[in-house]
Amino acid sequence: MKYVIIGNSAAAVGCIEGIRSVDKAGSITVVSNEPHHVYSRPLISYLIYGKTSEQRMKYRPDDFYEKNDVTTLLGVTVTKVDYESRNILLDNGNSVGFDKLLFATGSSPFVPPMQGLEEVPQKFTFMKLDDAQALRSAINPESRVLIIGAGLIGLKCAEGILSKVKEITVVDMAQRILPSILDETGSQMMQEHIEKQGVKFILGNSVARFHADTAELKNGGTLGFDILVLAVGVRPNTKLAAGIGCKVNKGILSDDHCATNLPDVYAAGDCSESLDITDDNWRVLALWPNAYMQGETAGICMAGGQKAYNKAIPMNAIGFFGLHIITAGSYSGEPYITATDSTYKKLITDNNVLKGYILIGEVARAGIYTSLIREKTPLNTVDFELIKERPQLMAFAAKERAVKLGGAKA
């Protein structure tokens, strides 16, 4: 059996390990336009900051490919997939045949049309190791940095470079920061915390026109800058899959075995959609753990095994300047809120189940809340009053505690 994986991040690793758990002998080829050994993308801000190194960022050991008998074609771009002949065509003129194919093509920065953007000599995105390396080479202690986008990517970039530049200003059309994962109260708490570190925000505004080192804002103001970082958003890389007839919405559509509508073709990771069990909608869940689990499911199924990926939920675990956030699920339902000057907890329930949560500051044992969401545990079967205040296994019945501790089967 010839397996080909297009992409080389979390979903690809999951796929390799999934395949090898079933098929020890089939050939596996990984093709990626990045030249690097598989690395942890969420750590690129820590690389610039100096908290990690390229070696420590590696998601698997140096001998990972060799131990799993994987052929790697890195720094090579797939130009076309010929589904009928079961071949992928590469930009170096070569081709690779496949029996089973996984699209793990990830996503790319979305840069909307902006007047004058071509005049800016020092502009960067912030998604890949190469982006971080390029930005690290460009900044200096006198750099004035303008970041467009107050979401996860833009703020992680700000955290990574703040101590190495003169000033950072973040501009976003939204009225608050991190609007995709926080409510208004959580956004305000995080904004105040980040502002105390020295980051400036201009919200509810956007750039009308760029010049080489200035930005004209739509409200009439002007900002000077030396370095521009574009962190507006991302788009799933679906072009290759769509080109062979895979069904595509925002991401590539696949079932709970990560199989597409085409026989022998699978999709996993940020390029694909998952069923969000908290609201029963299919959407792109661009999350590292979900990408790995999708890839593992795809690999096992590609190799003839059985596995389902059917407990996907939106989830983020992230921190900014020492203040940690964990969020999960959806926020439609009845809220339970507690807060202090440095912590915030919001639990959302609906129809006797936990649907979602936001935790800021105090994030210990968040996994108990996550488990309640994934398993759709009826809240009247646990001591939810205790769990609301202090998440702990003692709030579960003895049988459930044994299952969660790994000592019994459900």
Side-chain angles (χ1 to χ4, degrees):
M1 186 66 67
K2 294 182 292 186
Y3 306 97
V4 169
I5 301 167
I6 305 177
N8 185 36
S9 196
V13 169
C15 185
I16 292 166
E17 294 178 345
I19 290 170
R20 285 292 178 244
S21 71
V22 178
D23 181 353
K24 309 296 185 185
S27 72
I28 302 176
T29 302
V30 169
V31 185
S32 174
N33 56 13
E34 289 194 78
H36 309 291
H37 182 95
V38 63
Y39 64 92
S40 237
R41 289 182 191 275
L43 297 182
I44 62 172
S45 62
Y46 296 108
L47 177 69
I48 294 183
Y49 186 81
K51 286 184 177 180
T52 191
S53 65
E54 290 182 31
Q55 181 62 31
R56 296 204 306 272
M57 283 177 64
K58 290 181 178 178
Y59 186 49
R60 288 295 185 269
D62 288 332
D63 61 359
F64 171 72
Y65 303 116
E66 180 182 358
K67 278 192 170 180
N68 286 283
D69 195 18
V70 175
T71 299
T72 56
L73 301 175
L74 305 181
V76 178
T77 299
V78 178
T79 57
K80 183 180 179 183
V81 176
D82 188 335
Y83 179 66
E84 297 304 319
S85 68
R86 296 297 201 272
N87 271 289
I88 63 168
L89 310 181
L90 310 177
D91 63 353
N92 61 11
N94 295 330
S95 64
V96 179
F98 67 87
D99 297 310
K100 306 279 187 178
L101 175 66
L102 175 72
F103 287 107
T105 45
S107 57
S108 297
F110 169 61
V111 180
M114 294 180 175
Q115 190 174 2
L117 188 59
E118 70 282 356
E119 298 178 22
V120 180
Q122 296 267 66
K123 54 182 179 284
F124 304 86
T125 54
F126 196 72
M127 279 191 65
K128 302 187 296 185
L129 178 56
D130 288 346
D131 298 334
Q133 291 170 333
L135 183 58
R136 181 172 59 179
S137 297
I139 59 177
N140 63 64
E142 294 303 312
S143 296
R144 300 166 301 160
V145 180
L146 172 59
I147 299 175
I148 307 298
L152 294 167
I153 295 172
L155 296 187
K156 287 309 287 186
C157 178
E159 181 186 44
I161 66 175
L162 181 61
S163 65
K164 301 180 181 299
V165 300
K166 183 177 181 180
E167 63 181 44
I168 295 177
T169 304
V170 180
V171 175
D172 200 301
M173 291 178 63
Q175 297 292 331
R176 55 192 179 88
I177 72 170
L178 300 170
S180 66
I181 68 168
L182 295 180
D183 62 6
E184 289 186 12
T185 302
S187 291
Q188 185 63 32
M189 176 180 282
M190 289 306 301
Q191 181 178 336
E192 290 174 0
H193 173 73
I194 296 171
E195 285 175 334
K196 287 178 183 176
Q197 318 307 313
V199 177
K200 302 172 186 175
F201 288 99
I202 297 176
L203 303 175
N205 207 338
S206 60
V207 175
R209 195 191 196 291
F210 285 104
H211 301 280
D213 58 1
T214 57
E216 298 176 14
L217 301 179
K218 287 197 173 177
N219 70 355
T222 300
L223 280 174
F225 66 90
D226 308 301
I227 304 286
L228 174 65
V229 179
L230 299 162
V232 178
V234 298
R235 292 274 175 88
N237 294 323
T238 62
K239 186 176 180 180
L240 286 172
I244 62 172
C246 289
K247 292 181 179 178
V248 172
N249 188 18
K250 287 187 176 179
I252 304 166
L253 301 181
S254 60
D255 61 19
D256 59 6
H257 302 294
C258 297
T260 70
N261 58 298
L262 297 182
D264 304 321
V265 178
Y266 296 73
D270 294 7
C271 65
S272 67
E273 295 194 358
S274 304
L275 177 63
D276 176 357
I277 64 169
T278 64
D279 65 5
D280 293 323
N281 285 318
W282 288 86
R283 56 169 55 92
V284 176
L285 295 175
L287 308 165
W288 192 265
N290 280 354
Y292 177 87
M293 290 187 286
Q294 275 187 294
E296 182 186 40
T297 299
I300 289 171
C301 295
M302 289 163 76
Q306 288 294 318
K307 187 175 177 63
Y309 172 74
N310 54 13
K311 292 184 179 179
I313 63 172
M315 186 173 177
N316 285 279
I318 198 165
F320 298 100
F321 302 101
L323 186 56
H324 295 282
I325 305 170
I326 300 183
T327 69
S330 57
Y331 303 155
S332 177
E334 183 69 27
Y336 165 81
I337 297 172
T338 60
T340 69
D341 289 343
S342 58
T343 67
Y344 180 64
K345 176 192 290 186
K346 183 176 186 178
L347 307 178
I348 300 92
T349 60
D350 187 47
N351 290 324
N352 198 36
V353 295
L354 184 65
K355 302 291 285 188
Y357 66 80
I358 298 171
L359 301 178
I360 301 177
E362 179 52 65
V363 297
R365 299 183 179 179
I368 289 177
Y369 293 138
T370 305
S371 176
L372 289 173
I373 297 171
R374 286 195 193 279
E375 303 303 325
K376 298 184 177 180
T377 303
L379 297 181
N380 61 0
T381 66
V382 300
D383 187 347
F384 190 56
E385 290 304 311
L386 175 60
I387 290 174
K388 284 196 298 187
E389 296 300 326
R390 298 188 305 278
Q392 54 188 281
L393 286 175
M394 285 306 297
F396 293 82
K399 182 181 177 182
E400 284 297 310
R401 289 202 303 272
V403 170
K404 293 183 185 300
L405 289 169
K409 292 184 179 180

